[in-house]
Amino acid sequence: MALDIERVGFAPDYVDYREALALQEEIHGRVSRKEQQNTVLLLEHEPVFTAGKRTEPHEYPQDGTDVVPIDRGGKLTWHGPGMLVGYPIVRLPEPIDVVAYVRLLEEILIDVIADFGIEGHRVEGRSGVWILGEGIEPDRKIAAIGIRVSRRTTMHGFALNCSNDLAAFSSFIPCGITDASVTTMSAQAGRNITPSDVVERVERELAAQADRLAAQFTVEQETATA
């Protein structure tokens, strides 16, 4: 089935979060009305904090940092250079199973990072992809997932830590999880791995899983009126 994959902007052409959100909303409307094919946006953001629906007031940064409240699930997180962000805007197959959709995104990312010699895992009760801790070392999140489904169609998506500076995560509790940490592909592999190094592999995996990822439909062309 058709799945349009668009590279919106990568270093040094980082994408403003609010502009990307407006683009998502525009595409979401067209996909949900079957006026546009299922679409995935891939990009790197300018530095930004976003707050999901479950973010509590005390979890916001206390230093005046700008935070964008959004309607995805989850809590507070950060996006910025070095992080590969993917926004699948797709109509879900029926019967709609949001958990299965999240698990498939996890599977896709686990398969992607495996090609770079990194072993990712799921952690019971937590979304995303994780590097399991050893001994007293905590589990470390390498990819976050936060989505919204409206009119059978998804928004938001995943963020894969490639080469981003982890210092930004020190000013808040990522995703509200106090007993875990964060890491990057570069840190795990011991070499610099950027989003540009990973994006083609992500595209291939998304395309390979297109039939499982989204419902197939024919785009309904707008009828011109006199």
Side-chain angles (χ1 to χ4, degrees):
M1 61 166 287
L3 179 67
D4 293 337
I5 302 176
E6 302 179 11
R7 298 188 188 186
V8 182
F10 285 84
D13 300 317
Y14 303 116
V15 181
D16 176 82
Y17 185 86
R18 288 178 172 88
E19 292 179 4
L21 182 58
L23 178 60
Q24 274 196 82
E25 290 170 343
E26 178 184 341
I27 295 173
H28 180 275
R30 294 201 297 264
V31 172
S32 67
R33 295 189 300 268
K34 299 184 180 180
E35 297 171 357
Q36 177 171 330
Q37 191 52 259
N38 294 310
T39 301
V40 182
L41 306 177
L42 298 174
L43 52 95
E44 280 181 84
H45 276 303
E46 295 176 352
V48 64
F49 286 91
T50 67
K53 292 182 292 186
R54 295 193 301 110
T55 308
E56 301 291 338
H58 70 273
E59 294 173 319
Y60 280 69
Q62 302 302 306
D63 59 359
T65 298
D66 183 34
V67 178
V68 181
I70 55 176
D71 55 5
R72 62 161 169 79
K75 294 199 173 192
L76 191 72
T77 194
W78 176 89
H79 298 313
M83 178 184 286
L84 174 57
V85 175
Y87 296 130
I89 305 168
V90 300
R91 286 175 60 87
L92 294 181
E94 290 187 315
I96 293 175
D97 188 336
V98 176
V99 173
Y101 171 74
V102 171
R103 295 292 170 263
L104 179 54
L105 291 180
E106 291 169 347
E107 178 184 326
I108 287 170
L109 296 172
I110 287 170
D111 288 345
V112 167
I113 66 175
D115 277 4
F116 293 83
I118 302 167
E119 185 176 352
H121 296 268
R122 295 186 178 94
V123 171
E124 184 70 27
R126 293 176 174 175
S127 65
V129 178
W130 297 80
I131 306 301
L132 300 183
E134 299 179 1
I136 63 172
E137 185 179 33
D139 296 336
R140 288 150 290 158
K141 181 178 278 190
I142 197 168
I145 295 175
I147 67 164
R148 173 181 178 241
V149 180
S150 173
R151 289 171 288 172
R152 278 190 61 190
T153 305
T154 66
M155 278 186 61
H156 307 297
F158 62 84
L160 176 60
N161 296 336
C162 297
S163 56
N164 46 295
D165 186 352
L166 295 177
F169 292 98
S170 65
S171 63
F172 70 105
I173 300 173
C175 303
I177 299 173
T178 58
D179 60 346
S181 185
V182 290
T183 189
T184 65
M185 292 182 66
S186 297
Q188 294 305 125
R191 59 188 176 91
N192 193 45
I193 301 174
T194 70
S196 293
D197 296 327
V198 181
V199 63
E200 184 177 342
R201 180 65 185 88
V202 170
E203 289 172 336
R204 292 202 309 270
E205 194 63 30
L206 287 167
Q209 299 292 351
D211 287 332
R212 296 173 61 199
L213 191 67
Q216 184 173 3
F217 63 90
T218 300
V219 174
E220 298 176 355
Q221 302 295 332
E222 294 185 21
T223 302
T225 57

